[in-house]
Amino acid sequence: MSKLELRGLSKVFPDGRWAVRDVDLAVDDGALVVVAGPSGCGKTTLLRMVAGLEEPTAGEVIIDGAVVNTIRTSERGIALASQGYSLYPHMTVGENIGFPLMIDGLHTRRIDERVREIARVLQISDVLDRRPRQLSGGQQQRTAMARALIRDPRLLLLDEPMSNLDAKLRTQTGLVIAGIQRRLDLTTLMVTHDQHEAMAMGDRLVVMRDGRIVQSGRPIEVHDAPANIFVAQFVGTPSMNIVEATVLDADGAVALRVGSHDVPLDLRARERVPSVGRLVGRAVGLGFRADALRQDDDGPLDLDVLSTTLVVHDQFVDLDLDARRVTQGIDGVDVADEPSSTIVMSVHHDDALSLWEPCRVSIDTGRIHLFDLDTGDRIT
Ligand code: ATP
């Protein structure tokens, strides 16, 4: 049972690159916290500092209340499982798993017992006599996990643990890892660039960008109330639609002009964004998820269908909207020059939609988000 805290943790590499900037983070006893963000945002460097493989430039790594910055990796009580499994090819699975205990000089019989115990938890008891090359990708992954867990670590660190697996195995293995983590009540910090994994596995999701934490919360909270445009588009599938809109006063009622369309804002929208009345005349980023759109003969948007994609029971429909697309990169908010965006609507797979046919659509105004085009932040 352990707790991990990071206080003001930063890393600047000798070439001047800030990989991690002033990160504060707590992983409570038994929790699984997932840090997600695009490639290069500093996830691995953060994890390596926790593991003691990288020296922080500033800040503290605290395990169970004690600062461990100067404590060696092997003495931190940490298990690290990373992208490459690096199993020893000439050893059996059992020997691979027991290797850390052999280094520790444990008695062979005790090692054998521990290997069998941990193999049972990871459901690989039947392959203990095989060599790594005789295993499936998922079994190799579990073997690596078993080897990481055999020393009863205080803390489990996972660096993109599923990145070598195909899509189906990723889901299965993700469930296995989350199951083991809960069963063993292991305080776990995992990093991934895959927001699906992050959403599905973590008790808490921490989104990083450019070395900093941009939002942290329960996955569903981050999904439903993203802090800014970057998070809104990073988390969730398909990515949130965000286009430029202008707030209008339409005869005393507030509306949004989106391209050549006017979307009246009803009470639900005004409850969601109470300050909208003060934004009249301003351009904002209007965000809505694919399932906040629906076909509606009386809807305010009259759009063309560009393409459709079948996804299990749903269909994602690409629609052509004459409004400028809004994104947020490291340099700030970008509003496209061209007033043309492809927005995505999800509909039931039975709903017939013809390509290039006009389609009337309404937005569930109780589920819109408005974003500040200067800062990218969500307007509340
Ligand atoms: P990925 O998902 O691609 O693994 P990441 O989010 O894990 O990326 P890091 O590997 O932590 O990102 O790298 C963060 C930044 O620090 C990147 O810009 C990277 O180029 C840089 N960086 C990483 N290691 C070093 C190093 N040893 N020297 C200089 N810069 C480095």
Side-chain angles (χ1 to χ4, degrees), residues 48 66 78 123 129 162 170 199 244 260 276 303 350:
R48 285 173 60 81
I78 278 171
Q123 299 164 13
D129 294 328
M162 273 104 67
R170 287 176 85 96
M199 286 291 293
E244 187 188 44
S260 55
V276 70
L303 309 173
D350 284 342

Side-chain angles (χ1 to χ4, degrees), residues 270-304:
R270 293 202 302 277
E271 277 172 0
R272 189 167 172 82
V273 193
S275 62
V276 70
R278 295 199 294 276
L279 300 174
V280 169
R282 263 183 65 181
V284 292
L286 166 66
F288 45 94
R289 296 218 176 260
D291 58 0
L293 291 180
R294 65 182 179 90
Q295 281 180 276
D296 174 1
D297 290 342
D298 301 319
L301 304 176
D302 189 7
L303 309 173
D304 286 339

Side-chain angles (χ1 to χ4, degrees), residues 335-358:
V335 182
D337 294 335
E338 285 296 310
S340 166
S341 302
T342 301
I343 61 166
V344 187
M345 168 171 72
S346 76
V347 296
H348 191 265
H349 69 107
D350 284 342
D351 291 348
L353 282 157
S354 308
L355 295 189
W356 296 107
E357 288 291 312

